Amino acid sequence: MGRLQAGAVSWVVDPPVRAGARAFAAVCRVERSHHCGAAAAACSGEKRPVLILAFHRGGVTAAGVDGKSYSAAEIEERFPQAIARTLARLERTPEDR
């Protein structure tokens, strides 16, 4: 019988999308699993959105797939550097894209 190695759970921020003066980006959890057998090995993964970041003139907020709203402080607590990484990406992306 094959062996299943529990995968690492991490998170990523998808590329931001601009909509007028606002920008949005999804924070997603990523989980990977490795399957090893006598004749072969395989890897599988899953990516699920957990928050939608909303960048606006008043700052950053998020809506969770759980239906809750999150402040910038709560976002930073759950996903350190997600806001800073996305802001840096927005600075490098032309506004007409």
Side-chain angles (χ1 to χ4, degrees), residues 11-75:
W11 58 271
V12 297
V13 180
D14 284 350
V17 175
R18 293 181 190 272
R22 296 177 184 231
F24 302 91
V27 177
C28 301
R29 288 218 183 265
V30 178
E31 185 172 0
R32 296 177 304 269
S33 297
H34 305 280
H35 311 274
C36 301
C43 182
S44 63
E46 183 176 315
K47 180 178 172 186
R48 290 177 318 236
V50 291
L51 289 179
I52 302 297
L53 303 177
F55 294 82
H56 42 83
R57 287 192 176 102
V60 182
T61 55
V65 295
D66 57 5
K68 296 180 184 175
S69 296
Y70 295 89
S71 68
E74 292 168 320
I75 298 164

